[in-house]
Structures are given as C-alpha cells and as structure tokens.
Amino acid sequence: MGFPDQIVRTLDLAHPPAQVWAAITTAEGLGSWFGNTATIDLRPGGAAQMTFDGGHTANMRVERVEEPSIFGFTWHIHGLPDEDPRRTYVEFTLEPVGAGTRLTVVEAGFAQLPDDAHQTAFGGNTDGWRSELGELVEYLDAA
C-alpha cells in the first residue's frame, strides 16, 4: 500500500475572490495570516519567502499564477534536511460561489518520501494547513 500523496482542504469563504486572491498572493496578505513577514515575486519562477515565529524561514518558488483563480508554488518538505532537493507543490484554487469564494488547497508530493519522512511531513503539514487556514479565515473576517 502506498502513502497518501496529497493533503486537500476546501473552505467556503464569505469573501469575494479578489479579496481572497490578495490574501494568498501578496506579501501583506501572506505575512498577516501565513507567516510573520513575507516577500513574493508573483510570476512563474518568482521567489517568495515567509518567516515565522522562532526564526524559521520558508523559501518558495512560484510555479503557477492564473489571476484570479489559481496560485501554485513549491517549497521545502517539512522534516527533510535543508539541502534535500525534494519539494511539494501547493496549489490554491478559487471559485466564485454566490458572493463568496470556495477555496481549495492541495499540497502534493508526499508519496516520494520513505515511511519515517512521510509521517513527519504529511502529519506536520496536515496539522499545519488546519491551523493556517483557520488563520486565513480570521484574517479575512477582520478585514
């Protein structure tokens, strides 16, 4: 039996797609709900970076930008050494639903990992997305 390859989360948000798009694709938005500070070059091949409490830094590479509906990036896999070249791919898909937005987040690429690394990365990111998407909702609701 193989390991799960992806984490999928879907949220119905009471905010228009343009507002959700800004929250997930701008330095101000990302630095408010996802990290403590952020930078982003919003184009395929562009670099993005987030810093978190405790000094942890996440370096990302923008892979896909189809405003206002799809934003994707790759980033380092949690639990692997910094020099490990393997990455997971994260994609946000925004779909208008009434006056709001259905946001689907998919992080894929975990099946490339051996058992112990898979447990660390998949479990950590499953919990992480639960927490971070809750912070996204709070950020949008406060705006």
Side-chain angles (χ1 to χ4, degrees):
M1 182 172 108
F3 299 120
D5 185 56
Q6 56 184 268
I7 299 165
V8 180
R9 296 283 178 263
T10 300
L11 301 169
D12 285 330
L13 303 166
H15 304 279
Q19 187 178 0
V20 178
W21 180 261
I24 65 172
T25 62
T26 65
E28 178 185 345
L30 288 170
S32 295
W33 68 271
F34 205 167
N36 294 82
T37 62
T39 60
I40 186 167
D41 178 3
L42 189 61
R43 63 180 176 83
Q49 184 179 72
M50 290 185 298
T51 58
F52 298 89
D53 287 335
H56 174 72
T57 300
N59 293 303
M60 297 122 62
R61 181 179 189 274
V62 176
E63 301 291 344
R64 191 170 176 192
V65 179
E66 295 179 23
E67 187 174 352
S69 58
I70 301 173
F71 170 58
F73 63 85
T74 52
W75 64 350
H76 180 77
I77 299 174
H78 172 69
L80 295 183
D82 289 342
E83 64 276 4
D84 193 298
R86 291 175 286 186
R87 301 287 182 262
T88 55
Y89 175 69
V90 177
E91 187 168 274
F92 294 83
T93 303
L94 290 72
E95 175 187 351
V97 177
T101 305
R102 176 162 296 137
L103 175 67
T104 301
V105 181
V106 177
E107 182 173 11
F110 294 99
Q112 66 185 307
L113 302 173
D115 185 28
D116 58 337
H118 184 276
Q119 290 177 8
T120 299
F122 191 82
N125 286 27
T126 297
D127 292 342
W129 283 117
R130 186 177 301 115
S131 172
E132 295 299 345
L133 292 175
E135 291 181 27
L136 172 62
V137 171
E138 290 173 12
Y139 170 75
L140 289 167
D141 288 349

